[in-house]
Amino acid sequence: MKNEDLIAKLKTIVQPYVQDEDAFKNLSEETTFVGDLKINSANLVDIILDVEDEFDIRIENEEMEQMLSVKAAMAIVNSKITS
Amino acid sequence: MIGNDIVDIELAKRNSRWQEQRYLDKLFTTEEQEFIRSGDQQFQNIWRLWTMKESVYKITSRAEGTIRFNPTNFKCTVLDATQGKIIYKNQSIATSTIINQNFVQTTASSNPQWVSKIFQFSSLDYPTQHSESVQQAIKAYAAYKKVVDTSVAVIKNRTGIPQFYIYGQLQTEQLSLTHHGLYGAFAISVIES
């Protein structure tokens, strides 16, 4: 999958939980979910489940630990859908 | 060290996949899931354990200086209706939880001397809520230190942790802020360390 397509899908997934709209508008690979988008940590699991469903993958708890930025989420999704 | 966390019950009900087993498996150990299913308060039990983990996470992530999302490494023990403890990497940290129909709120502290206050916001706007939380904390802290409110400031350090200043001097008491939905809280560790 192209990076732009992947980012677009991630944007759709995180949007319902975003609390900083400016950071969302300027979303890049470096954007962090909690620090930048001000997503409540209670919703991180919802995002991870939505990512699992969207890409039909399963993310282990050890992998979830690092899934705190757009870049990290992209790396995990890419490793799962190409393998 | 101090940490706190609040969950707005109405918001959590509609904005979370808490009813799914996959959700529970990502947050809770088998023993914790047994506690959650015991009795008829499954929904409240989820948020009680979640706020316990999150409030202690705020303490340990500050101490370690790293962020990660590893909720199952924070093992909850519920002692009674309000008190509990979390075991994380051989440390045990006490927690105190308040549950009512509107919110679930936990304060965790390695120091038994702390004060906390829960409040309802006037708006759902994030910057407004942040500034209202800071004003609440400043008011309480100024009263405790017997100084005027205007001499107190709350400034985040470079890792994002809010700290108290009086007339520009960094103070040793620790502060933790939390908000979710319509509710927020501060907790202040009141013994100078």
Side-chain angles (χ1 to χ4, degrees), chain B residues 18-33:
Chain B
W18 62 275
Q19 283 148 312
E20 294 178 39
Q21 182 61 38
R22 280 161 62 208
Y23 186 95
L24 297 178
D25 287 340
K26 286 188 161 31
L27 289 181
F28 301 110
T29 65
T30 313
E31 294 79 11
E32 288 163 354
Q33 292 187 34

Side-chain angles (χ1 to χ4, degrees), chain B residues 38-180:
Chain B
S38 66
D40 56 359
Q41 299 293 319
Q42 178 168 349
F43 179 77
Q44 283 188 356
N45 288 345
I46 287 173
W47 300 109
R48 178 173 183 187
L49 298 191
W50 166 258
T51 59
M52 286 170 66
K53 286 170 187 263
E54 185 65 12
S55 56
V56 171
Y57 170 79
K58 287 184 183 172
I59 294 177
T60 59
S61 62
R62 286 171 188 190
E64 293 172 351
T66 56
I67 56 161
R68 51 170 59 188
F69 187 59
N70 54 344
T72 53
N73 293 358
F74 294 79
K75 318 274 187 210
C76 297
T77 303
V78 167
L79 301 172
D80 62 27
T82 59
Q83 303 304 300
K85 66 176 180 183
I86 292 263
I87 307 286
Y88 176 75
K89 288 187 181 170
N90 302 325
Q91 301 173 66
S92 174
I93 297 176
T95 63
S96 179
T97 304
I98 296 170
I99 301 176
N100 67 25
Q101 58 185 3
N102 298 318
F103 55 76
V104 179
Q105 192 267 352
T106 295
T107 304
S109 183
S110 47
N111 157 10
Q113 304 280 5
W114 49 267
V115 293
S116 154
K117 187 181 172 191
I118 298 166
F119 33 85
Q120 187 170 352
F121 294 115
S122 59
S123 128
L124 281 171
D125 176 58
Y126 185 95
T128 308
Q129 292 193 346
H130 181 71
S131 107
E132 286 181 17
S133 301
V134 166
Q135 284 313 310
Q136 292 270 1
I138 285 176
K139 212 175 150 196
Y141 186 67
Y144 166 69
K145 297 291 272 190
K146 299 187 172 63
V147 297
V148 293
D149 292 7
T150 51
S151 68
V152 179
V154 168
I155 299 168
K156 284 186 178 174
N157 72 6
R158 57 183 177 77
T159 52
I161 297 165
Q163 295 177 306
F164 283 118
Y165 288 77
I166 296 179
Y167 290 120
Q169 287 282 40
L170 178 63
Q171 304 296 304
T172 51
E173 289 89 355
Q174 291 172 337
L175 167 67
S176 183
L177 299 169
T178 177
H179 55 98
H180 184 237

